[in-house]
Amino acid sequence: KIKDLFHRMKVRDDIFVESSLYTTYRIQNGTRPEQVSYEVYGDERYYWLVLMVNDISDYYNQWPLSSTEFNEFIIRKYGSYDQAGQVRHYETIETYDIDGNLVLPAGIIVGKDFRYEYRFTREDDDTTFSEPRAVTYLEYEYELNEKKADISLIKKEYVPDVVRDIRNYARKLKPVSSELSISEVN
C-alpha cells in the first residue's frame, strides 16, 4: 500500500500570483531535477518539489531534453535533419508602426501568402509590408524544448514550511492498493 501524492498534490494556480514565494530558474543542458534540487536547496531529495511545483508528472516528456537527447529525438521523429528542416508553418514577425506602436505581434500562425500592410512613414502613400517567416519542424521542436527549460521554484527559505504542510496533508491520506503488480509491468 502506498500514498499517491502526485495525483492529489498540485500547487494552486492562484499561489503563483504571490511572486515573493517563487523564483525563476533556467535549466541548463542535461541538468536533472535532483541536480536542480541540490543546486538550489542544497539537497537532492527535494527533486519531487521541483517537479511538483512545475506540474511535471512525466519527466520524459515534460522535462527539457539535453542537446544529445534532442538530436536523437529529431532523428527518431523525423528520420533526418533534412526532413526536420522542412517548413512546418509560417508565423508573423513583430511589427511596429512609425510611432512605435505594436501593430502586429510575433508568433501568430498564418498562411504562406500572408502580408500585413502598414504605414512606415507619415507620407500618405508610403506603406510597407510585413511578411511571415517560415518555421521549420526543427525550429518548432527546439522552441518547445527551450520553453521547458524555464521553471519556477519555491524559494529556499519556504521549503521547510511547504514540506511540513505536505507531510501533514499526507498523514491524512488513506493508503490505496495498486491494481497492478510490478511483475505485470513490461
Side-chain angles (χ1 to χ4, degrees), residues 169-185:
Y169 174 80
R171 282 190 198 110
K172 297 175 187 174
L173 292 176
K174 294 180 180 170
V176 294
S177 296
S178 173
E179 299 297 324
L180 182 65
S181 170
I182 292 177
S183 62
E184 295 174 17
V185 177

Side-chain angles (χ1 to χ4, degrees), residues 14-82:
D14 62 322
I15 297 294
F16 278 107
V17 174
E18 185 57 54
S19 62
S20 64
L21 299 174
Y22 296 93
T23 185
T24 56
Y25 184 88
R26 176 97 176 145
I27 299 168
Q28 299 303 309
N29 183 29
T31 304
R32 297 183 316 270
E34 64 273 14
Q35 292 170 312
V36 171
S37 174
Y38 184 78
E39 180 182 329
V40 175
Y41 303 130
D43 191 333
E44 68 278 352
R45 291 179 299 164
Y46 296 121
Y47 72 91
W48 58 270
L49 190 57
V50 172
L51 297 172
M52 187 183 75
V53 166
N54 291 283
D55 202 22
I56 296 173
S57 58
D58 181 355
Y59 170 81
Y60 295 103
N61 290 306
Q62 294 176 292
W63 192 260
L65 300 172
S66 69
S67 56
T68 302
E69 292 166 332
F70 181 77
N71 290 334
E72 291 169 358
F73 165 77
I74 292 298
I75 298 301
R76 189 172 55 251
K77 184 169 183 177
Y78 297 101
S80 70
Y81 267 89
D82 286 340

